[in-house]
């Protein structure tokens, strides 16, 4: 009987989603990538919800996320829901920090299915960093992909939630690695390849990006962002492909080498087969003087041949980073008009508050990096280029106020529409201290980078013309901003600060159209898509986390009331549609009942 109910539910969802597709504005209004599309634009072309009616949005439903069933000793607390919901054919997909993937009915918020990864096995895996968070998932051709915190990749059937396959333990047995990893980011798909990576930050893992064959599930190639622990004297022998000159014995020969994780969102040009991503900072817990050199290929924008993993070009934004001012949560691929000609470019906004616009084919800057945000202080080597101090130790900045701090500058995914970048920088500073730290299973006298609560804590949304790098307007917010992507759609820019306030800002003028207090932490961006009734809907995750007490969080849905200005959605199902669907379900139930009876004979 349970299977019969599941089948009926699936048929009903499929019937309703078919109706929704017919009445929704366009098929591309589905939200199937973490940042809407494979270019990471965070721009949805729908125009049903727009700047003229965003003030009329009403709460449609609230889904209460289940409580974390796992309490793992030694694991840092979860910091909130960080997954932008996906929307595909009437189903909303969102993941929790504790590795539960949930599929919701987009019209009601009811659960279609959920899948919980068994985290009780994670502590037995020596490559796991004891950190758990899921910050993005991917929908592709009827399958939802999620990398679990233990670095295993799950592929689930989008309608039923059944597991199609698992590529287990991607972070296990990485050559040259003596640190640990955790999974958090969705993969990308190129032809028959799944392109993946794992995060490591200050856990000392060796940063990498790898591709797996979708048919055999075997690894096709792997590219490393840092040398193996112990160093490699020939590490920078490809420096002719980038903007930074070679350095004898770059990284040194320390067994403490690690970091450089490709933890942000990647982008892929399907027409050229080039994969683009940014890499993080070197592990900052040990003395940077032990890793002399620019430390290629950390803190860099990287272009690889997606089919082979071969390096095409790189652009290092910070050489020998000591302040953790790596690139932000994502890079974007777009076309802009510069000097009267169209250019395909890569856009990277970084924690050092610089925006880099690079030619997608060569990696060369289209113009000088653009500076946003408040004045920096005690940030050596930020955009230093050839003038960077390549033997610097953190000792030179111990006890000083460092601005931007460890959490930004830019700590989120920007949005791009019509040649304009919408990006938030947060004004938050930090202080470097020293003391014993645990690193790679040992206690060392290391460096600790903490936030400075006595410094200003606010943020600013910038509108930047990508044709020339000039600021068009700014919108100030009184609280910090970290983790929530900017989204632009229908002439509105949506941003959510850490206090949980959703701002809707006019795309052209920067004026506030509406704000909503969500009542919970803002750590993930919104998404838009048609619900099962064909109504364009705004889906908003909020809250969650373990500080100061466990709060599982919610997903909220907002839509326009019937008759609202500009509401072109399909509206509620009419009597005839309901009768047709109901009859179809009855017929299927009767057929299944007859089959079941015959099977008993």
């Amino acid at each position: 009987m349970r299977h019969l109910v599941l089948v009926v539910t699936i048929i009903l969802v499929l019937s309703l989603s078919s109706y929704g597709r017919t009445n929704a504005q366009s098929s591309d209004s589905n939200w199937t990538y973490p940042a809407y599309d494979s270019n990471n634009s965070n721009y949805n072309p729908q125009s049903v919800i727009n700047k003229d009616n965003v003030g009329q949005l009403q709460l449609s439903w609230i889904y209460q996320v289940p409580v974390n069933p796992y309490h793992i000793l030694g694991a840092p607390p979860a910091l909130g829901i960080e997954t932008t919901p996906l929307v595909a054919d009437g189903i909303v997909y969102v993941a929790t920090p504790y590795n539960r993937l949930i599929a919701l009915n987009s019209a009601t918020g009811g659960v279609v299915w959920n899948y919980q990864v068994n985290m009780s096995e994670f502590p037995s895996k020596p490559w796991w960093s004891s950190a758990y968070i899921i910050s993005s998932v991917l929908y592709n051709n009827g399958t939802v992909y999620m990398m679990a915190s233990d670095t295993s990749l799950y592929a689930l059937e989008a309608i039923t939630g059944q597991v199609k396959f698992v590529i287990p333990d991607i972070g296990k047995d990485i050559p040259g690695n003596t640190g640990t990893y955790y999974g958090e980011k969705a993969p990308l798909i190129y032809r028959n390849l799944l392109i993946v990576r794992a995060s490591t930050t200050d856990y000392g893992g060796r940063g990498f990006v790898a591709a797996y064959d979708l048919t055999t599930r075997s690894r096709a190639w792997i590219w490393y962002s840092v040398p193996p622990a112990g160093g490699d004297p020939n590490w920078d022998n490809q420096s002719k492909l980038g903007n930074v000159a070679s350095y004898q014995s770059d990284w040194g020969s320390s067994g403490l080498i690690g970091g450089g994780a490709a933890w942000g969102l990647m982008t892929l040009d399907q027409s050229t087969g080039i994969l683009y991503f940014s890499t993080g900072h070197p592990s900052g817990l040990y003395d940077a003087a032990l890793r002399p050199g620019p430390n290629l290929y950390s803190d860099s924008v990287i272009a690889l041949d997606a089919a082979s993993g071969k390096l095409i070009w790189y652009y290092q934004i910070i050489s020998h980073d000591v302040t953790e001012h790596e690139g932000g949560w994502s890079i974007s691929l777009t076309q802009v008009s510069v000097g009267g000609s169209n250019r395909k470019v890569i856009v990277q906004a970084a924690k050092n508050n610089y925006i880099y616009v690079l030619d997608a084919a060569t990696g060369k800057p289209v113009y000088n990096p653009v500076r946003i945000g408040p004045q920096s202080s005690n940030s050596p080597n930020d955009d230093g280029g050839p003038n960077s101090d390549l033997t610097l130790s953190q000792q030179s900045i111990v006890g000083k106020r460092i601005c931007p701090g460890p959490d930004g500058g830019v700590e989120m995914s920007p949005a791009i529409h019509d040649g304009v970048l919408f990006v938030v920088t947060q004004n938050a500073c930090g202080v470097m201290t020293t003391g014993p730290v645990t690193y790679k299973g040992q206690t060392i006298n290391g460096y600790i980078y903490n936030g400075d609560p006595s410094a200003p804590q606010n943020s600013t949304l910038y509108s930047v013309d990508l044709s020339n790098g000039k600021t068009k307007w700014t919108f100030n917010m009184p609280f910090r901003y970290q983790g929530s992507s900017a989204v632009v759609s229908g002439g509105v820019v949506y941003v959510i600060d850490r206090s949980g306030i959703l701002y809707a800002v006019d795309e052209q003028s920067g004026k506030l159209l509406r704000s909503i207090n969500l009542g919970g932490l803002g750590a993930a961006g919104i998404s838009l898509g048609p619900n099962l009734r064909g109504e364009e809907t705004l889906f908003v995750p909020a809250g969650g986390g373990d500080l100061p007490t466990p709060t599982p969080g919610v997903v909220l849905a907002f839509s326009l009331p019937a008759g609202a200005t500009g509401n072109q959605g399909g509206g509620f199902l009419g009597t005839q549609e309901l009768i047709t669907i109901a009859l179809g379900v009855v017929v299927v139930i009767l057929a299944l009942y007859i089959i079941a009876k015959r099977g008993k004979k």
Side-chain angles (χ1 to χ4, degrees):
M1 186 63 186
R2 180 171 60 88
H3 297 295
L4 178 63
V5 172
L6 177 61
V7 170
V8 172
T9 301
I10 292 169
I11 292 170
L12 185 57
V13 168
L14 287 171
S15 301
L16 288 169
S17 65
S18 176
Y19 178 82
R21 285 194 299 270
T22 302
N23 288 270
Q25 184 192 29
S26 64
S27 60
D28 64 356
S29 60
N30 277 338
W31 192 294
T32 56
Y33 286 86
Y36 178 72
D37 54 27
S38 62
N39 293 337
N40 294 332
S41 72
N42 272 312
Y43 165 68
N44 187 319
Q46 71 80 39
S47 58
V48 175
I49 298 173
N50 55 59
K51 66 178 184 179
D52 295 324
N53 60 29
V54 67
Q56 302 177 57
L57 284 174
Q58 295 180 349
L59 183 64
S60 298
W61 51 259
I62 300 175
Y63 171 74
Q64 176 69 61
V65 176
V67 175
N68 182 359
Y70 296 98
H71 302 282
I72 299 174
L73 187 65
L79 298 179
I81 299 173
E82 296 194 23
T83 309
T84 294
L86 304 183
V87 189
D89 295 335
I91 300 179
V92 176
Y93 303 93
V94 65
T96 70
Y98 50 87
N99 292 222
R100 177 175 291 184
L101 184 58
I102 304 168
L104 302 175
N105 181 319
S106 60
T108 66
V111 176
V112 178
W113 57 261
N114 68 80
Y115 181 83
Q116 174 67 60
V117 177
N118 183 6
M119 288 185 61
S120 64
E121 301 173 354
F122 290 6
S124 65
K125 300 182 176 185
W127 65 89
W128 182 51
S129 294
S130 297
Y132 57 95
I133 178 175
I134 305 296
S135 54
S136 62
V137 291
L138 171 73
Y139 175 94
N140 182 271
N141 196 26
T143 303
V144 184
Y145 297 89
M146 178 181 76
M147 179 175 274
S149 297
D150 69 340
T151 71
S152 296
L153 183 69
Y154 287 78
L156 295 95
E157 211 289 326
I159 297 297
T160 66
Q162 286 188 311
V163 176
K164 287 186 170 183
F165 64 84
V166 179
I167 301 177
D169 307 329
I170 287 169
K172 180 182 180 181
D173 299 329
I174 298 296
N177 173 59
T178 55
T180 56
Y181 301 100
Y182 61 99
E184 60 165 321
K185 284 293 194 299
L188 276 182
I189 296 177
Y190 177 67
R191 295 179 178 171
N192 201 45
L193 294 176
L194 269 171
I195 302 174
V196 300
R197 70 280 197 213
S199 294
T200 183
T201 58
D202 284 331
Y203 293 104
R206 186 185 188 191
F208 71 89
V209 175
Y212 282 78
D213 187 287
L214 266 169
T215 303
T216 65
R217 323 274 198 258
S218 60
R219 195 166 70 197
W221 56 257
I222 187 168
W223 179 87
Y224 302 104
S225 59
V226 304
D232 178 352
N234 298 315
W235 179 247
D236 55 6
N237 62 6
Q238 291 183 304
S239 62
K240 63 181 180 296
L241 298 177
N243 64 320
V244 175
S246 61
Y247 186 93
Q248 183 63 40
S249 298
D250 189 13
W251 286 90
S253 57
S254 170
L256 301 176
I257 293 172
W263 62 271
L265 294 180
M266 305 182 292
T267 185
L268 179 59
D269 189 337
Q270 296 283 350
S271 66
T272 63
I274 301 179
L275 172 72
Y276 304 95
F277 56 90
S278 58
T279 58
H281 60 83
S283 293
L285 294 181
Y286 74 99
D287 194 339
L290 297 176
R291 49 174 173 86
N295 306 147
L296 297 175
Y297 300 95
S298 67
D299 290 281
S300 300
V301 178
I302 303 293
L304 299 183
D305 182 332
S308 66
K310 182 180 179 181
L311 180 65
I312 297 175
W313 59 256
Y314 69 88
Y315 182 91
Q316 189 171 51
I317 62 177
I318 301 179
S319 296
H320 195 79
D321 186 3
V322 294
T323 51
E324 303 184 5
H325 283 171
E326 62 205 343
W329 284 65
S330 76
I331 61 173
S332 303
L333 174 66
T334 190
Q335 286 197 343
V336 297
S337 178
V338 181
S341 63
N342 285 327
R343 303 276 296 273
K344 187 182 289 188
V345 298
I346 293 294
V347 182
Q348 168 77 82
K351 292 183 182 181
N352 62 0
N353 272 339
Y354 282 92
I355 300 167
Y356 301 85
V357 182
L358 309 175
D359 185 278
T362 66
K364 298 185 183 303
V366 173
Y367 43 73
N368 290 333
V370 177
R371 185 67 165 79
I372 60 173
Q375 185 67 37
S376 296
S377 62
N378 298 312
S379 298
N381 292 347
D382 269 16
D383 199 51
N387 299 319
S388 300
D389 185 341
L390 302 183
T391 60
L392 193 66
S393 168
Q394 297 97 315
Q395 191 62 43
S396 63
I397 50 176
V398 168
K400 298 178 181 179
R401 175 178 286 178
I402 303 163
C403 302
D407 294 324
V410 178
E411 263 276 16
M412 46 73 72
S413 300
I416 296 178
H417 177 226
D418 200 20
V420 179
L421 179 75
F422 303 94
V423 60
V424 178
T425 178
Q426 61 174 338
N427 184 19
C429 301
V431 176
M432 184 76 72
T433 60
T434 61
V437 296
T438 300
Y439 181 68
K440 295 196 177 188
Q442 57 181 308
T443 300
I444 64 172
N445 186 32
Y447 294 87
I448 307 162
Y449 198 3
N450 297 307
D452 182 359
S454 66
Q457 306 278 313
N458 49 48
S459 53
T460 303
L461 169 64
Y462 281 77
S463 170
V464 178
D465 186 338
L466 288 175
S467 69
N468 54 27
K470 294 182 178 179
T471 297
K472 299 182 68 176
W473 53 257
T474 60
F475 175 78
N476 295 316
M477 293 170 280
F479 298 103
R480 286 182 52 196
Y481 196 104
Q482 182 181 350
S484 175
S485 58
V487 170
V488 58
S489 186
V492 182
V493 183
Y494 299 92
V495 288
I496 309 175
D497 69 15
R498 293 295 275 184
S499 73
I501 298 177
L502 168 63
Y503 296 93
V505 179
D506 188 293
E507 177 184 0
Q508 297 300 323
S509 68
K511 296 190 179 301
L512 180 65
L513 299 170
R514 185 180 182 182
S515 65
I516 302 174
N517 192 330
L518 304 173
L521 180 72
I526 65 101
S527 58
L528 298 103
N531 67 18
L532 285 171
R533 302 186 184 108
E535 303 162 330
E536 198 65 40
T537 306
L538 193 75
F539 301 99
V540 185
D546 295 337
L547 293 175
T549 57
T551 54
V554 296
V555 178
L556 306 102
F558 295 88
S559 57
L560 296 171
T565 304
N567 186 357
Q568 301 168 11
F572 287 85
L573 293 176
T575 303
Q576 186 60 49
E577 288 81 13
L578 287 171
I579 292 173
T580 301
I581 293 170
L583 286 173
V585 172
V586 170
V587 169
V588 171
I589 292 174
L590 287 174
L592 290 172
Y593 176 78
I594 293 170
I595 292 170
K597 292 287 286 183
R598 287 178 177 175
K600 292 180 179 179
K601 292 181 179 179

